[in-house]
Amino acid sequence: MPAVLIVEDEPRIAEPLMFALEREHFAVTHVTLGQQALDAVAGGAVDLVVLDVGLPDMNGFDVLKQLRQRSELPVLFLTARQDEVDRILGLELGGDDYVTKPFSPREVVARIRAILKRLAPKPDVDTDKATPWQVDDSGFRLFFRHTELSLTRSEYRILATMVQRPGQVFSRAQLLDICASDEDSFERSVDTHIKTLRAKLRPLNGDHLIVTRRGIGYLLDTP
Ligand code: CA
């Protein structure tokens, strides 16, 4: 069930849209302020954002800019004015889209479906089951549920290794080898990295995926 966050301050626009999405079995959250939207996205469990350009506390472009600092979540803009459309078209939008007011809720639902379908992981034949992880090896970046994790070099190496072999138990000594940096000379420091990794995954509801095998080491569970 895809989760849609609606960011719109006008109830007469938000309500029919929420109704249409819920009828189509989307999980819908509604907020009216840009800051609330950023908080909701940081809390995880959002698959797509429907974002009004004219919000009471900040405009939708600034919300997008802040959102993009930590997330690749798709954003569908709602806009009433031609000059806003021009600005949206001028943005580097990636997978995003917009609809102009007035719109029919059904049209918006169709657009949302199209975006989510386009972004859905391609079904691949064998090993590549739907994973919440994306590793960008060349950029040393790691994404969980489309959100980039802010990791130290050692944390990145540990987690990227575990992501590549979910279910495999790694001993502290193995993980220490993987870190292979001067400041990490004790197995205890692996525990510290695991602890901070869990803390960074907690807002995204992913901390339980790192499992402790007492006396042995750690493994990454499949969700
Ligand atoms: Ca508005």
Side-chain angles (χ1 to χ4, degrees):
M1 186 165 65
V4 175
L5 174 67
I6 298 176
V7 192
E8 167 63 68
D9 55 304
E10 288 170 79
R12 68 183 174 86
I13 290 171
E15 278 162 13
L17 190 51
M18 288 166 66
F19 181 71
L21 282 163
E22 279 166 358
R23 200 177 42 198
E24 299 289 320
H25 310 294
F26 286 87
V28 185
T29 311
H30 173 221
V31 297
T32 55
L33 298 175
Q35 189 54 52
Q36 293 170 335
L38 293 169
D39 292 344
V41 168
V46 175
D47 296 306
L48 182 143
V49 182
V50 177
L51 181 57
D52 180 31
V53 175
L55 294 167
D57 61 333
M58 56 202 285
N59 73 44
F61 301 115
D62 292 332
V63 175
L64 179 71
K65 210 181 289 172
Q66 290 195 33
L67 185 70
R68 280 287 170 265
Q69 288 172 6
R70 58 184 180 204
S71 164
E72 297 294 313
L73 272 182
V75 172
L76 176 68
F77 273 114
L78 302 178
T79 173
R81 303 186 343 224
Q82 185 56 44
D83 58 327
E84 291 174 347
V85 171
D86 294 341
R87 253 190 99 181
I88 292 167
L89 293 175
L91 295 172
E92 293 198 22
L93 281 176
D96 304 329
D97 200 354
Y98 71 93
V99 284
T100 49
K101 299 174 185 177
F103 52 76
S104 86
R106 282 168 69 182
E107 183 196 349
V108 178
V109 173
R111 293 285 189 94
I112 289 172
R113 280 197 195 292
I115 294 171
L116 291 175
K117 199 173 163 190
R118 195 164 68 215
L119 295 179
K122 308 272 177 296
D124 211 51
V125 211
D126 25 43
T127 53
D128 205 24
K129 282 189 248 108
T131 169
W133 306 96
Q134 279 95 39
V135 181
D136 168 16
D137 239 342
S138 54
F140 295 97
R141 300 196 305 166
L142 216 151
F143 297 83
F144 180 68
R145 298 197 175 128
H146 308 293
T147 301
E148 184 178 356
L149 301 171
S150 162
L151 303 176
T152 66
R153 195 176 50 172
S154 294
E155 288 164 8
Y156 170 83
R157 285 183 174 162
I158 289 175
L159 194 52
T161 303
M162 294 175 92
V163 164
Q164 274 149 19
R165 292 190 180 78
Q168 176 176 328
V169 180
F170 292 91
S171 69
R172 287 186 178 78
Q174 280 175 314
L175 293 175
L176 193 61
D177 276 352
I178 290 160
C179 302
S181 83
D182 296 338
E183 65 264 38
D184 291 316
S185 33
F186 299 102
E187 295 192 3
R188 181 73 56 85
S189 64
V190 170
D191 297 337
T192 308
H193 292 319
I194 294 287
K195 204 170 146 191
T196 54
L197 279 170
R198 281 186 178 133
K200 287 172 181 181
L201 287 165
R202 194 162 299 130
L204 305 167
N205 300 321
D207 52 312
H208 65 285
L209 293 174
I210 300 180
V211 178
T212 306
R213 281 279 178 270
R214 207 180 284 244
I216 307 172
Y218 300 96
L219 69 95
L220 194 68
D221 208 356
T222 43

